[in-house]
Amino acid sequence: MRFRMAAMWCWMAWFGCKAALAAEQHSAACTRLPADSKLQQFQGFPIRAIRVHSEDVFDLNADKVYWFHHLANRTHKITKPDTILEDVLFQVGDPLDAEALLETERLLRTRRYLRKVEVRVTEHCTDGSVSVTIHTWDNWSLLPNISLSREGGESKTVLGLAEDNLFGTGNQINLDYENDSERQSYLVNFRSPNLFGSHWNLNTLYADKTDGESYLLALEKPFYRLHAPWAFAFHLEADSENVNEYLRGDEINEYQRNLDLLQLSSGWKVAEAERWVQRISLGIEQHQVQFDTTEYTDYGKPEDRDLSQFWFSWHFVEADYRQLYNVYQFNRVEDINLGWQASVQLGWFQPWLGAERSGWSLQTQLDKAWQLSPTDLLIAQFRATQLQQGELEQRLASSYAMWIHQLDEHQSLVGQLTYAYGQDLFRDQRLSLGGDTGLRAYPLYYQTGERLALATAEYRYYSTLSIAQIFDVGYAAFADWGRTWGSNPALPEDSAGQSLYGIGLGVRLLSSHSSRGTMIHIDLTKALHDQGELSGLEWRILAKRRF
C-alpha cells in the first residue's frame, strides 16, 4: 500500500512538472507583436488570453508634474479589471472577430470614467492562438459641477458634486443645486450603466424644487452592440414644475406643469448583415400632462392632454465608424458613424389606457454623416412627427446640418444650419431661440414660434496649451443669425418675426482628465441691435459637452 501511495505521488509530481514545463514552453512560444499590428490579419485565430492593463489618471513621468498630480493618483480608485471585462464583447476561446474588438473599444469609450481605450492583439503563439490586451487610461471621476452664466440680465448658477466611478465599479452618483430665474432645486441621481455585467442600465433620480418634485426610475437593456438580439425598457417618471412664457426674454406668464409617464417596450433584431441590422419594437405608454395656474398666471394655461398609446417601430442601423478628431470636442478620439440610421414609429392613442380621444401619431427620423474629403465632414439629421387626435392636427418637421472644414490639425471652420416647421404645437413645446438654443448673445426664450431658422458660423482654434494636465485650451470666434415665425395667440404681443444677429469670442477649457469631459465655455457676446439691456456686451460661463 505504501509503495502504491509513493508511486502515485511520484507520478503526480512528474505530471505536474511536465505540465508546468509544457506551459512554460507554450508561453515561451508566443511572440510579442508591435503596436501597429492590424486586427484583421488575425481574424478567426482562437483567443488564448484577455488581459487588462489600466493606467492611473495622471502620467507622473510627464513634464510639469506637481504635488496635486501625485495626490490625485494616490486618492483615486483605479477602475477594477472586472468592471472593464464586464463590457468586453468576446471571451477566451472565441475565434477572434476584429469587429467585436472594435465594438468593445467603442463601447468602453462611452464610459465616462475612461479617458482613452485601446484594444489590441499583443501576442501571437505558435499554436495559432493570440492574446488580446485592453489598455485603458482612467479619468478623474470625483468632480465638482460648477456653472455660472449671465445672459440678457438673467443669471444661472449650478453647484454640485458627482462621482462617475464609485469605488472603481463604473457606477455614478451626483448631487446638484441649481438656481436660476425660474426655480431653485436640489437633485440626487444614481446610475449604473452595466448592472453586474449584464448590459442592463439602471437610472434613478429625485429632485426637490421650489415649484415641485421629480422622480425617475428607469431599467433598460439597450441594443448595446450592433447585432444584439433584443432590448427591453421600463421607464417611470413623475415631474412637477412651473413653466414660464417669455416675451423677448422677459417672463410674462407662468403656470404649473405636471407630468406622469409610464413606458414599457421591447425590441428584437429581425434582419442583419455584416454591417447593418434591422429591428422592430413594440411599446405601450401612459402619458398624461396636466396644467394648473399659479399666482403669476396672467394669460391662462395650456389645455391638459393625455397621449397614452400603443406603438410599433422599425429601425435600420448601418455601422460605418471612423475615429475622428475635433468634431464635437477636441484632442480626443470621437467615434463618428458614417452609416445610414433611420426609424419609423406609428402609435395609436387608446382611451382604455387613458387617452381622451382615439387617434394616431407618426414619428420618423434619419441620420447620416459623410466624410467628403480628408478635411471635410458633413453631418445631417432630419426629424418629422405628425399627431392626429380629435380636432388636433399637429405637425413638426426639423432638419439640421453641420459642416466641418479642417484647415489644419489646429484650426477648423464650422457652419451649422437648423430649420424647423411646426403646426398647432403644444403651447409648452413651442420652438425657441436664445441662449443654449444657438443665439448665444440673447437670453433663453428670446423668441418663440412655430417655425424656426438658425445659422451659425464659427472659427475654432485647438491650441497645444495644457494647463497642468487639467485643462486643454481652445478658442472660438462666432456669428449667429436666427428668427422664429408664428405668434403665441395666448400672449398680448408677438416676439417672433424679427431677425436676430449676434457675435462673440470665446475660450474653451476642456477638462482633459475628468470623467464628464466637460468643456467650460467662457464667452463674451454682443447682440447686434440696441434694445435696452442688450445694447452692451454680455458674458457667460457654462459647462457643456460640446465645443
Side-chain angles (χ1 to χ4, degrees):
M1 178 64 71
R2 290 180 180 178
F3 174 78
R4 290 182 180 177
M5 290 292 292
M8 184 176 68
W9 280 110
C10 289
W11 179 83
M12 291 177 63
W14 174 82
F15 182 80
C17 291
K18 184 177 179 181
L21 181 61
E24 183 178 352
Q25 291 174 342
H26 182 73
S27 176
C30 295
T31 304
R32 190 77 178 173
L33 297 172
D36 58 354
S37 298
K38 302 297 183 182
L39 295 177
Q40 287 73 14
Q41 71 185 86
F42 303 105
Q43 184 78 14
F45 289 25
I47 299 173
R48 68 186 298 270
I50 301 173
R51 302 186 180 96
V52 176
H53 183 59
S54 299
E55 303 282 359
D56 218 328
V57 179
F58 293 105
D59 180 4
L60 301 182
N61 296 317
D63 296 334
K64 297 182 180 180
V65 173
Y66 302 101
W67 61 269
F68 53 83
H69 295 124
H70 292 271
L71 178 63
N73 280 7
R74 283 197 299 267
T75 56
H76 171 73
K77 178 67 174 177
I78 296 180
T79 304
K80 295 179 179 180
D82 287 348
T83 301
I84 302 295
L85 291 172
E86 286 174 352
D87 278 327
V88 173
L89 303 178
F90 51 89
Q91 298 178 349
V92 171
D94 288 352
L96 188 140
D97 180 1
E99 187 56 39
L101 270 65
L102 294 172
E103 266 195 305
T104 296
E105 193 174 84
R106 290 195 295 268
L107 178 59
L108 287 169
R109 262 198 292 270
T110 66
R111 304 310 188 197
R112 291 178 171 179
Y113 46 85
L114 298 177
R115 173 168 50 92
K116 183 179 177 182
V117 179
E118 291 180 355
V119 181
R120 297 193 302 109
V121 177
T122 52
E123 286 183 342
H124 180 214
C125 302
T126 53
D127 64 355
S129 63
V130 294
S131 297
V132 176
T133 297
I134 302 168
H135 197 173
T136 66
W137 289 257
D138 265 23
N139 273 319
W140 178 256
S141 56
L142 181 61
L143 301 165
N145 182 14
I146 302 175
S147 178
L148 308 171
S149 66
R150 180 176 176 80
E151 298 173 306
E154 300 291 346
S155 299
K156 181 178 180 179
T157 303
V158 178
L159 301 172
L161 188 66
E163 172 56 75
D164 286 336
N165 195 7
L166 193 62
F167 306 121
T169 63
N171 295 318
Q172 304 166 15
I173 187 169
N174 65 282
L175 307 170
D176 281 334
Y177 164 77
E178 183 173 332
N179 184 8
D180 58 23
S181 61
E182 296 183 335
R183 67 185 58 83
Q184 292 184 23
S185 63
Y186 299 88
L187 176 147
V188 59
N189 176 225
F190 173 81
R191 182 172 182 269
S192 179
N194 191 354
L195 278 171
F196 311 117
S198 63
H199 297 289
W200 285 81
N201 302 339
L202 174 67
N203 191 10
T204 61
L205 177 146
Y206 172 73
D208 184 12
K209 301 174 284 190
T210 53
D211 54 357
E213 292 182 310
S214 294
Y215 306 87
L216 172 66
L217 174 62
L219 182 65
E220 178 186 16
K221 184 165 186 176
F223 289 107
Y224 60 92
R225 62 183 304 182
L226 180 65
H227 295 292
W230 60 276
F232 176 85
F234 169 81
H235 186 105
L236 178 63
E237 181 179 1
D239 181 55
S240 178
E241 64 180 15
N242 291 345
V243 176
N244 287 297
E245 292 181 307
Y246 294 80
L247 187 63
R248 287 182 290 275
D250 295 326
E251 302 171 7
I252 66 169
N253 191 45
E254 180 187 87
Y255 49 82
Q256 187 175 63
R257 178 175 59 197
N258 302 292
L259 166 69
D260 290 294
L261 178 64
L262 173 63
Q263 294 178 324
L264 191 66
S265 66
S266 188
W268 302 269
K269 174 181 64 178
V270 294
E272 65 180 335
E274 182 180 357
R275 290 192 172 272
W276 62 262
V277 65
Q278 293 188 55
R279 303 163 179 155
I280 61 170
S281 296
L282 296 174
I284 188 171
E285 66 179 66
Q286 288 187 311
H287 185 168
Q288 186 179 65
V289 186
Q290 294 181 324
F291 300 91
D292 295 315
T293 59
T294 71
E295 58 179 316
Y296 301 107
T297 303
D298 297 321
Y299 297 100
K301 61 183 181 67
E303 295 182 2
D304 295 345
R305 59 179 180 266
D306 194 315
L307 302 179
S308 300
Q309 60 183 292
F310 166 79
W311 54 262
F312 167 83
S313 67
W314 168 85
H315 300 260
F316 174 84
V317 180
E318 179 187 17
D320 186 11
Y321 284 92
R322 299 288 190 276
Q323 293 184 11
L324 303 178
Y325 291 86
N326 304 335
V327 179
Y328 299 112
Q329 294 202 338
F330 68 104
N331 294 350
R332 285 192 173 187
V333 173
E334 300 179 68
D335 296 304
I336 304 299
N337 188 6
L338 303 185
W340 288 94
Q341 300 174 76
S343 69
V344 179
Q345 178 175 309
L346 181 61
W348 296 270
F349 300 118
Q350 302 294 326
W352 60 271
L353 283 173
E356 297 175 356
R357 292 176 296 273
S358 298
W360 56 271
S361 66
L362 178 66
Q363 302 178 37
T364 61
Q365 68 178 62
L366 185 65
D367 296 84
K368 183 71 172 77
W370 295 267
Q371 193 161 16
L372 304 176
S373 74
T375 59
D376 291 274
L377 179 69
L378 177 63
I379 298 174
Q381 300 172 348
F382 175 77
R383 306 282 187 274
T385 63
Q386 183 163 350
L387 188 154
Q388 180 84 43
Q389 189 180 35
E391 298 180 354
L392 177 64
E393 295 185 14
Q394 184 183 100
R395 296 180 179 88
L396 176 62
S398 63
S399 58
Y400 167 80
M402 178 171 70
W403 168 70
I404 300 175
H405 174 65
Q406 302 283 349
L407 298 171
D408 56 41
E409 62 178 331
H410 297 296
Q411 303 177 86
S412 64
L413 299 175
V414 179
Q416 299 180 74
L417 293 173
T418 303
Y419 181 76
Y421 182 95
Q423 174 185 309
D424 291 333
L425 302 181
F426 294 124
R427 182 170 161 183
D428 59 314
Q429 295 181 349
R430 291 168 58 81
L431 307 174
S432 66
L433 282 176
D436 291 341
T437 58
L439 279 169
R440 287 162 279 194
Y442 295 83
L444 286 167
Y445 309 108
Y446 192 80
Q447 278 192 0
T448 62
E450 291 201 324
R451 283 188 291 161
L452 176 151
L454 173 67
T456 69
E458 188 165 294
Y459 165 79
R460 298 176 178 178
Y461 182 79
Y462 319 105
S463 78
T464 57
L465 176 62
S466 177
I467 303 175
Q469 297 189 62
I470 303 296
F471 292 110
D472 291 345
V473 183
Y475 305 94
F478 53 85
D480 303 331
W481 169 87
R483 65 167 291 181
T484 63
W485 293 264
S487 62
N488 187 341
L491 301 185
E493 298 181 54
D494 186 6
S495 67
Q498 179 186 14
S499 292
L500 304 176
Y501 304 87
I503 58 175
L505 299 172
V507 177
R508 306 291 181 257
L509 302 177
L510 173 64
S511 50
S512 56
H513 288 68
S514 76
S515 58
R516 293 297 169 100
T518 304
M519 200 176 302
I520 299 175
H521 286 223
I522 305 174
D523 288 337
L524 185 65
T525 63
K526 167 69 174 175
L528 297 182
H529 63 58
D530 35 303
Q531 292 189 6
E533 72 277 6
L534 294 181
S535 59
L537 296 173
E538 292 284 338
W539 65 268
R540 69 175 191 170
I541 302 176
L542 291 176
K544 301 177 68 176
R545 292 281 295 173
R546 295 188 175 189
F547 200 101

